[in-house]
Amino acid sequence: MSSWKGLLHTYKEYLPVNDKTPLLTLNEGNTPLIPLERLSEEWGAEIYVKTEGANPTGSFKDRGMVMAVAKAKEEGSKAIICASTGNTSAAAAAYGARAGLRCIVVIPEGKIALGKLAQAVMYGAEVFEIQGNFDNALDIVRSVSKKENITLVNSVNPYRIEGQKTSAFEICDVLGEAPDVLSIPVGNAGNITAYWKGFKEYNDKKSTGLPQMHGFEAEGAAAIVKDKVIEEPETVATAIRIGNPASWSKAVEAADESNGQIGMVTDEEILEAYQFLAQKEGVFAEPASCASIAGLKKQIESGAVPKGSKVVCVLTGNGLKDPSTAIDTVTVKPTVIPNEEEAFLEQLKGGVTS
Ligand code: F0G
């Protein structure tokens, strides 16, 4: 029996948890902080990844969702609703099922990774595909949640941010202090907001220090970097295909206050990082997550992140969420062989050990 009892139990004193809050959990949190030995050596920095894909539904959304759904339950809500590029809907569906709440999700038609859609339907959510993008979906669910007795569980719900800030606590607990730099993908900008809040709160209580916050958008959806709403955002990293981030100003605040910055990376850079992370380090994260690695690479090359820095890159989601992009990205396909050992040995061309 694991002694880990989930986030609401572990971080009670930092969260809006009271006697009436159900201690809902699927044992989220406590995700591995993995040192990247080869990349650290190559890039001359001390690099770690926070593997949020190890959460119960395979993304960081579980941290925020457990808090938001527990509060919805505490407040007597019977239903939750969200817009999503996929991961929020998977987490909402799972925690909604766990808490016995009706769950309604609105996703952009044809633009969410297969694994995420499988999760939402499997957990029993009512799934609507909007003929529009994430930003359109968010506008609709925000409006509907005001008219109907239904709780909005997107990251504009402050309880989501509360839950998500716990990852910053875990990083400080493992390293003994905050890293020099926190590198993180940015979509709707809730997560960068949550980490910054978490680092600040822990520093106030435990003097763990503060990192520079470096957020990365995908170039085709880089509203903050370009300082304009992107009406038709486009990127291979569908999780962050967002043109009008709800927490825009908070992300800018986090970057400014911490002496960090919001940057952008191209799809090519994302896919390159996606592959070398898996092939050099054995860590398989979904494309959007790899914006944090691609962004760090650029900043180390430009000197914006000095050599020798201690850096944590947040890998927000599991690679298995998006099998299609994996198959499309890697050009080497499995070799088909007859059912004969000789033919197999022939294919190995001289043997495994040569
Ligand atoms: N990485 C992944 C894997 C995500 O799913 C998301 C957001 C982000 C990064 C960006 O986080 O929005 O807090 O800046 N996914 C949302 C969703 C929008 O609906 O699942 P953010």
Side-chain angles (χ1 to χ4, degrees):
M1 196 66 193
S2 147
S3 58
W4 178 256
K5 296 195 178 86
L7 293 178
L8 303 193
H9 173 86
T10 307
Y11 293 113
K12 252 191 222 106
E13 59 177 306
Y14 295 90
L15 295 172
V17 171
N18 61 49
D19 295 349
K20 296 196 191 71
T21 315
L23 291 182
L24 183 67
T25 190
L26 285 166
N27 281 26
E28 61 293 317
N30 198 20
T31 55
L33 187 72
I34 304 175
L36 298 186
E37 287 167 7
R38 290 175 73 182
L39 283 189
S40 294
E41 201 175 313
E42 267 177 42
W43 295 357
E46 191 182 333
I47 307 165
Y48 298 83
V49 283
K50 182 70 169 156
T51 48
E52 289 292 278
N55 276 300
T57 76
S59 88
F60 72 97
K61 303 287 180 177
D62 295 341
R63 294 182 184 274
M65 204 54 73
V66 70
M67 187 77 253
V69 174
K71 293 307 273 188
K73 188 89 181 153
E74 177 188 328
E75 288 157 12
S77 178
K78 298 280 180 269
I80 56 176
I81 191 168
C82 66
S84 182
T85 56
N87 282 324
T88 297
S89 57
Y95 285 89
R98 186 86 171 167
L101 300 179
R102 181 175 171 199
C103 175
I104 299 162
V105 307
V106 185
I107 55 178
E109 185 186 26
K111 293 290 183 185
I112 86 164
L114 192 63
K116 302 175 189 180
L117 182 59
Q119 287 180 293
V121 294
M122 190 67 199
Y123 291 126
E126 294 163 56
V127 180
F128 295 86
E129 288 194 326
I130 187 175
Q131 291 166 330
N133 59 33
F134 170 85
D135 304 288
N136 309 133
L138 185 59
D139 286 345
I140 289 185
V141 297
R142 282 179 99 153
S143 170
V144 167
S145 71
K146 285 189 192 120
K147 292 181 187 141
E148 300 285 325
N149 184 16
I150 184 164
T151 306
L152 182 66
V153 292
N154 278 105
S155 59
V156 290
N157 176 327
Y159 297 130
R160 280 277 312 278
I161 304 297
E162 290 301 307
Q164 283 171 214
K165 75 185 180 188
T166 56
S167 188
F169 301 167
E170 291 175 12
I171 291 170
C172 294
D173 283 343
V174 172
L175 296 178
E177 59 184 359
D180 300 319
V181 173
L182 192 281
S183 179
I184 185 168
V186 172
N188 214 22
N191 213 23
I192 189 170
T193 304
Y195 271 80
W196 183 233
K197 187 167 197 285
F199 282 121
K200 285 196 294 189
E201 286 181 14
Y202 230 46
N203 185 45
D204 287 346
K205 276 234 167 155
K206 303 195 172 201
S207 306
T208 37
L210 295 171
Q212 286 183 359
M213 302 291 290
H214 290 234
F216 295 97
E217 298 181 292
E219 190 180 36
I224 301 175
V225 173
K226 296 179 180 167
D227 200 21
K228 62 166 199 243
V229 171
I230 313 285
E231 299 292 343
E232 304 279 344
E234 211 40 86
T235 167
V236 68
T238 51
I240 52 173
R241 187 173 166 270
I242 294 172
N244 188 11
S247 299
W248 185 320
S249 60
K250 296 224 173 79
V252 172
E253 229 173 82
D256 287 352
E257 280 179 28
S258 72
N259 269 326
Q261 69 178 84
I262 309 290
M264 64 182 176
V265 285
T266 64
D267 278 4
E268 213 176 24
E269 289 163 339
I270 289 173
L271 291 177
E272 186 203 10
Y274 175 59
Q275 270 197 65
F276 68 60
L277 184 64
Q279 297 180 0
K280 290 188 181 184
E281 298 284 358
V283 177
F284 184 24
E286 70 168 284
S289 303
C290 299
S292 64
I293 300 282
L296 175 65
K297 179 169 187 267
K298 277 173 101 160
Q299 292 197 329
I300 285 185
E301 283 166 1
S302 74
V305 171
K307 297 262 177 196
S309 301
K310 189 186 287 190
V311 185
V312 172
C313 295
V314 183
L315 296 180
T316 44
N318 194 304
L320 288 171
K321 291 267 192 178
D322 188 357
S324 317
T325 302
I327 298 289
D328 292 348
T329 301
V330 179
T331 47
V332 181
K333 302 291 181 225
T335 308
V336 179
I337 52 164
N339 180 16
E340 289 164 15
E341 185 177 328
E342 277 306 311
F344 182 38
L345 283 171
E346 178 63 22
Q347 285 288 341
L348 292 178
K349 295 194 186 84
V352 182
T353 51
S354 68

